Amino acid sequence: MKKIIMLFPALCVTLMLLCCGCGLLGEQKFKCNVDEVKSIQIVTLDEYIKDEYRYDYTVLAEVTDHIRFANRLMAIETSVNWGEPNVLATGYTVIKIEYLNGDYDMIYYDAQSKKRGEKKNAGFLVFDRKQFNDLISEYVTEEQ
């Protein structure tokens, strides 16, 4: 029994190191299959409609070069929020990616909402705030 108790911490450390190496506990990236993107917009969330589980929003910019934008978004440094996921809120300026199959991602630097099939979930990624805001500012400024 003593050997098992003594081996347990070593096993835990080994597993942690293995997981960190594969990215499970370390850096994770946002992934977007650009071939399946219908539209990318920069929007401001106006009002949450509780009965419909959705936001009304105002479109600030339409992104026409999906590949370039998605590649830049996927290149932003990210980390994982291992606690409760942050939720989107009224007034946030977010990136809305709509896919051909009706799924979507709504992305704020530290909160996300996504729909996959009939399921709607929050995301756990935290994007580098400056890089994220710089990307949005570039497109919003161009449109206005």
Side-chain angles (χ1 to χ4, degrees):
M1 184 67 170
K2 259 186 174 177
K3 281 186 176 183
I4 292 174
I5 292 173
M6 302 225 6
L7 287 176
F8 185 71
L11 179 62
C12 288
V13 168
T14 303
L15 286 173
M16 189 173 80
L17 290 173
L18 289 173
C19 290
C20 287
C22 70
L24 183 61
L25 297 177
E27 182 180 73
Q28 299 218 354
K29 291 288 190 181
F30 173 76
K31 294 178 181 75
C32 173
N33 186 350
V34 181
D35 295 335
E36 297 182 14
V37 170
K38 178 180 176 182
S39 68
I40 300 177
Q41 301 171 319
I42 311 295
V43 303
T44 298
L45 303 178
D46 295 329
E47 177 186 0
Y48 183 69
I49 302 169
K50 190 174 184 176
D51 296 341
E52 299 176 23
Y53 301 104
R54 68 174 185 85
Y55 282 94
D56 267 348
Y57 56 86
T58 302
V59 177
L60 302 175
E62 292 274 349
V63 176
T64 55
D65 188 350
H66 298 162
I67 294 172
R68 180 175 177 264
F69 185 90
N71 286 337
R72 291 189 59 202
L73 179 61
M74 290 186 290
I76 294 175
E77 294 174 27
T78 57
S79 60
V80 177
N81 171 9
W82 291 105
E84 286 291 315
N86 293 330
V87 294
L88 297 175
T90 302
Y92 283 6
T93 298
V94 303
I95 298 167
K96 182 177 186 227
I97 302 174
E98 189 176 356
Y99 299 95
L100 294 171
N101 64 1
D103 291 349
Y104 65 79
D105 289 305
M106 293 183 93
I107 305 164
Y108 187 61
Y109 87 91
D110 72 345
Q112 298 90 44
S113 175
K114 60 184 176 181
K115 177 183 171 285
R116 298 293 184 268
E118 294 301 314
K119 294 183 180 181
K120 294 182 181 178
N121 299 311
F124 290 88
L125 289 179
V126 178
F127 290 80
D128 177 272
R129 187 176 195 163
K130 182 179 179 343
Q131 292 175 11
F132 185 85
N133 287 338
D134 287 350
L135 177 61
I136 286 178
S137 294
E138 182 179 317
Y139 284 84
V140 171
T141 305
E142 284 180 2
E143 293 287 320
Q144 294 178 341

